[in-house]
Amino acid sequence: MTEPASPAPQAGRPVVLRGGTVLTMDDAGTVLRDADVLVVGDRIAAVGPGLEVPEGTREVDATDGVVLPGMIDTHRHMWQTAMRGYGADWSLTQYFVWYYLEHGRRFRPEDVAAGNRLAAVEALDAGVTTVVDWSHGLQTVDHAEAAVDALQSVPGRYVLAYGNIQAAPWEWTADGDVQAFLERRRTGAGDLLDFQLAFDVTGDPAFPEKAAFEVARELGLPVTTHAGVWGATNDEGIRLMHEHGFATPGTVYVHAASLSPDSYHRIAATGGSISVSTESEQSAGQGYPPTWQVRAHGIPVSLSMDTSVWWSGDLFSAMRTTLGADRSREHFEAHLQGETVTQLALRAQHVVEWATRGGATALGRDDLGRLVPGAKADVVLLKNDTSPVSFPLLNPFGHVAFQAQRGDVHTVLVDGRVVKSDHRLVGVDLGAVRREVEATVEHLRAEMGEEVWQAGMDPALPEGKVLDNPYQYTDYRSDSTHAAREAAYGRHLAGEH
Ligand SMILES: [Zn+2]
């Protein structure tokens, strides 16, 4: 049965992806060549070659493509997507100053909604079917309502991790309106929306965050926390959580990049998981991306993009940078001992697992992150017939981790519903999303004033210095004095050429 060229998507109609290379991400890591994936309702009905399908099933040609489970991002500040790319040259300190101290308060409920909607659309487009919205810009319950409404307007799977950087965790979690909001929006939310609480633990020996953990426990919500962030959170926070009984299997530790082995032991022993944001850790400075030591402790890993104020929200770059950072560190540590790494410990398959079933594990969802009968039908087809990077498809995991990119995302299903088809999002009014984001940018720009707005994008440079070079004992050109070179270096850094 063949489809017309541009079929209108119909909810509830079975879908079969035919003839692809299927990464099932099952426990055995099974890869099937020239296989089909049949979706009936919101579930995977069957996986295998030459499947018989019900009458009226929609056929998608997956030949020369890779079929994998929808990817899962366990930590993304979606509201910040309205500021896409603005902080590309920020350090973590500059991020904190901008959002926490100076300008985060300027975001109105509609600005949080604008960022969330854009982030949600971007995620679907890139094959990220589940996102944990680490939503720490919720200054009021109105902001929270707007955040959730925006998520629910885009047909992905979300976990709203409620947070508020403008108040202490023990303050905002004690707010009856916040608790009532969480109870109300959870009720009847269905399978596509869940909740967590999002706050950080400073390591204050008085452990004031205890009250916030107790609220989470009362509400039955997992906690996600930025842990092991250089200069912000450290081993003390982990120790306090552990000793007070709040390090639990549902807890997600974000970054966990500057922790001691003792903290990793505590996390491993209590069944928590770590969300690694490699691009973030590399640029912002939370610590070295920790997978090289986390995997030695047997702690489950998931991947995340953190915030699009720096990076784009696709997990291809997360897989690629995580694999690179891990291997880079492995070589580096060996070279310090005068040794050579001859066999790499982290394989492409591992980062594909972290981007799919690793996220499912972090969220306690065994029915996500794998293409097996009975699992939820969150499915991605990578296929790009016009791309010279699409063939030969020799090593499927290597292909996904190091060769593929978001432009290769051909088809996406969430909960059995086709949300992207033939490289196009289905039923998304991108113009409306754009106008909403433009209104937010205009509002912030007007509030801040042009000078402050521009300065925020152009943080001060550290003093540059060209090192003395013992081989340059004669000037080969009259102007090549040390001072002239330093001045030239300064101009280069300032963007002049
Ligand atoms: Zn974060």
Side-chain angles (χ1 to χ4, degrees):
M1 188 174 303
T2 319
E3 277 289 325
S6 296
Q10 290 175 21
R13 186 177 163 196
V15 179
V16 66
L17 296 98
R18 288 277 194 208
T21 296
V22 180
L23 312 184
T24 66
M25 309 314 292
D26 65 7
D27 294 345
T30 307
V31 176
L32 301 169
R33 296 279 192 169
D34 196 15
D36 307 339
V37 175
L38 174 64
V39 170
V40 177
D42 61 351
R43 304 276 170 175
I44 306 291
V47 181
L51 293 179
E52 299 265 353
V53 301
E55 177 91 21
T57 297
R58 176 178 176 182
E59 302 253 347
V60 177
D61 178 11
T63 315
D64 300 325
V66 178
V67 185
L68 70 157
M71 290 173 270
I72 298 172
D73 183 324
T74 51
H75 153 244
R76 189 181 300 187
H77 308 292
M78 295 173 81
W79 63 292
Q80 297 178 347
T81 306
M83 296 294 291
R84 183 190 297 291
Y86 181 88
D89 294 320
W90 282 353
S91 66
L92 191 60
T93 304
Q94 286 158 337
Y95 167 87
F96 283 147
V97 168
W98 202 93
Y99 273 108
Y100 286 58
L101 300 180
E102 291 183 344
H103 306 302
R105 278 191 181 83
R106 301 187 194 279
F107 285 72
R108 305 161 300 178
E110 59 262 49
D111 302 320
V112 169
N116 268 25
R117 203 157 358 240
L118 178 58
V121 168
E122 174 183 7
L124 286 189
D125 187 55
V128 179
T129 52
T130 300
V131 185
V132 175
D133 178 17
W134 222 101
S135 193
H136 57 359
L138 305 182
Q139 307 170 57
T140 69
V141 170
D142 286 345
H143 286 74
E145 301 276 9
V148 171
D149 288 345
L151 295 179
Q152 290 192 308
S153 72
V154 182
R157 198 180 290 282
Y158 309 101
V159 177
L160 183 97
Y162 195 117
N164 177 6
I165 52 175
Q166 304 302 341
W170 53 92
E171 293 168 353
W172 63 259
T173 53
D175 183 340
D177 291 344
V178 170
Q179 294 180 14
F181 164 86
L182 288 163
E183 294 283 19
R184 177 160 37 82
R185 296 301 299 247
R186 282 169 87 187
T187 309
D191 193 51
L192 293 177
L193 179 67
D194 216 334
F195 291 86
Q196 295 179 344
L197 292 190
F199 57 87
D200 298 341
V201 181
T202 61
D204 176 347
F207 195 38
E209 297 86 359
K210 183 168 183 268
F213 281 106
E214 281 165 351
V215 170
R217 184 165 284 172
E218 261 165 50
L219 295 172
L221 296 176
V223 170
T224 175
T225 186
H226 293 113
V229 173
W230 182 262
T233 59
N234 55 37
D235 290 318
E236 279 307 288
I238 303 290
R239 186 183 62 78
L240 288 163
M241 285 174 65
H242 183 238
E243 288 178 355
H244 287 84
F246 296 115
T248 58
T251 309
V252 178
Y253 304 83
V254 174
H255 302 304
S258 48
L259 294 175
S260 69
D262 179 67
S263 286
Y264 291 129
H265 286 315
R266 292 177 192 265
I267 293 169
T270 50
S273 70
I274 290 178
S275 174
V276 177
S277 309
T278 300
E279 280 188 282
S280 180
E281 288 127 28
Q282 287 179 323
S283 270
Q286 294 91 343
Y288 196 89
T291 58
W292 65 284
Q293 48 186 346
V294 165
R295 55 186 169 76
H297 287 86
I299 300 170
V301 173
S302 62
L303 301 184
S304 57
M305 284 311 304
D306 201 347
T307 167
S308 290
V309 79
W310 274 277
W311 311 280
S312 90
D314 72 85
L315 291 186
F316 297 105
S317 51
M319 287 187 273
R320 194 176 294 192
T321 53
T322 301
L323 198 47
D326 190 292
R327 290 174 174 180
S328 180
R329 186 63 182 242
E330 194 176 7
H331 290 301
F332 178 74
E333 294 288 331
H335 297 176
L336 287 178
Q337 308 296 321
E339 291 166 3
T340 302
V341 174
T342 55
Q343 288 160 293
L344 291 168
L346 191 70
R347 303 180 66 120
Q349 180 173 346
H350 295 136
V351 293
V352 180
E353 284 171 3
W354 291 346
T356 53
R357 51 185 285 155
T361 299
L363 299 178
R365 292 286 305 252
D366 284 348
D367 58 344
L368 299 179
R370 58 215 80 194
L371 299 179
V372 296
K376 280 284 182 174
D378 294 1
V379 186
V380 172
L381 168 62
L382 307 178
K383 175 181 160 89
N384 193 347
D385 292 338
T386 60
S387 166
V389 186
S390 65
F391 62 90
L393 181 55
L394 305 176
N395 174 342
F397 289 115
H399 203 94
V400 171
F402 272 153
Q403 307 288 330
Q405 46 103 354
R406 63 191 307 149
D408 300 330
V409 176
H410 177 287
T411 297
V412 180
L413 282 84
V414 178
D415 215 37
R417 176 176 169 187
V418 177
V419 298
K420 188 177 184 184
S421 174
D422 202 9
H423 295 282
R424 289 183 171 277
L425 288 165
V426 174
V428 169
D429 182 354
L430 202 56
V433 178
R434 179 192 292 265
R435 284 190 293 280
E436 205 179 14
V437 169
E438 281 171 354
T440 287
V441 169
E442 248 170 61
H443 158 72
L444 292 169
R445 218 165 162 155
E447 281 247 314
M448 291 166 65
E450 197 56 24
E451 201 176 320
V452 175
W453 169 267
Q454 288 297 339
M457 241 184 300
D458 190 19
L461 282 164
E463 231 166 272
K465 177 163 170 51
V466 176
L467 299 178
D468 291 326
N469 184 334
Y471 300 104
Q472 287 175 332
Y473 47 81
T474 53
D475 287 347
Y476 57 91
R477 253 179 13 211
S478 59
D479 66 346
S480 69
T481 61
H482 190 76
R485 284 198 306 277
E486 287 223 333
Y489 180 66
R491 282 198 302 276
H492 170 71
L493 286 181
E496 301 166 18
H497 300 285

